[in-house]
Amino acid sequence: METKDVIAELRGRQGLSQSQLAEKVFVTRQAVSRWENGETTPDIAALKLLSQLFDVSINTLLGSPRQLVCQCCGMPLDDASISREPDGSFNEDYCKWCYTDGSFVYSSMEELLDFLVDHMSNQEFPPEKAREYFSQQLPRLGHWAK
């Protein structure tokens, strides 16, 4: 979906007119109309306000142009699994299981590896294979590459 369609759909779901949405994000009705016609896209300040208002990530507002992946555990992210900052805003770098209330859940890669092996291994993906796989993948993620 394109940004124009996402905004129009979310506005419609909330039963807001273009004027009402404009008032909530401090722009003109014409600006909302231009967004929904695809003539322009919201600036970053408006995207942040729209994200808060509609409770969706900026990535979703932009039509999901990139596949988000948790930079701690590697899990694909969507709006239901993206972490949040203490102020309620989305943190599109981490899942809610790795980063909660402004802090990281796992203090070391080894701690995360133990968790992943315990929860991701099965008959087809035995613990030793899971540990080998995650040991190779985790260091490639932003959180652990630092």
Side-chain angles (χ1 to χ4, degrees):
M1 238 200 248
E2 293 182 48
T3 301
K4 65 181 187 167
D5 302 317
V6 173
I7 293 172
E9 181 180 317
L10 292 170
R11 180 179 61 77
R13 278 191 209 162
Q14 292 218 355
L16 297 172
S17 68
Q18 287 183 342
S19 295
Q20 290 169 319
L21 176 58
E23 187 176 311
K24 290 182 181 291
V25 295
F26 310 106
V27 297
T28 64
R29 186 206 55 79
Q30 292 82 358
V32 173
S33 177
R34 286 192 297 273
W35 298 341
E36 292 183 359
N37 288 325
E39 296 171 26
T40 62
T41 56
D43 65 17
I44 191 64
L47 285 169
K48 287 179 180 180
L49 291 170
L50 290 165
S51 173
Q52 291 172 339
L53 175 67
F54 294 131
D55 198 30
V56 298
S57 67
I58 290 174
N59 192 57
T60 294
L61 286 169
L62 295 175
S64 300
R66 59 193 175 110
Q67 172 60 56
L68 301 175
V69 175
C70 177
Q71 293 301 301
C72 184
C73 71
M75 182 176 91
L77 299 175
D78 60 24
D79 285 350
S81 61
I82 293 175
S83 67
R84 291 182 184 259
E85 294 294 345
D87 68 2
S89 63
F90 285 95
N91 180 326
E92 296 182 5
D93 291 329
Y94 302 104
C95 72
K96 64 185 180 182
W97 297 282
C98 288
Y99 184 80
T100 304
D101 296 326
S103 61
F104 290 98
V105 173
Y106 303 101
S107 57
S108 70
M109 190 184 310
E110 193 61 36
E111 184 181 353
L112 175 57
L113 273 170
D114 290 342
F115 176 84
L116 291 171
V117 169
D118 285 348
H119 290 84
M120 300 300 288
S121 58
N122 57 40
Q123 267 186 315
E124 296 173 12
F125 194 49
E128 59 277 0
K129 290 243 188 228
R131 183 167 295 281
E132 179 183 337
Y133 174 79
F134 289 116
S135 292
Q136 292 174 2
Q137 298 303 313
L138 293 178
R140 297 177 182 175
L141 300 171
H143 180 68
W144 303 111
K146 295 176 183 177

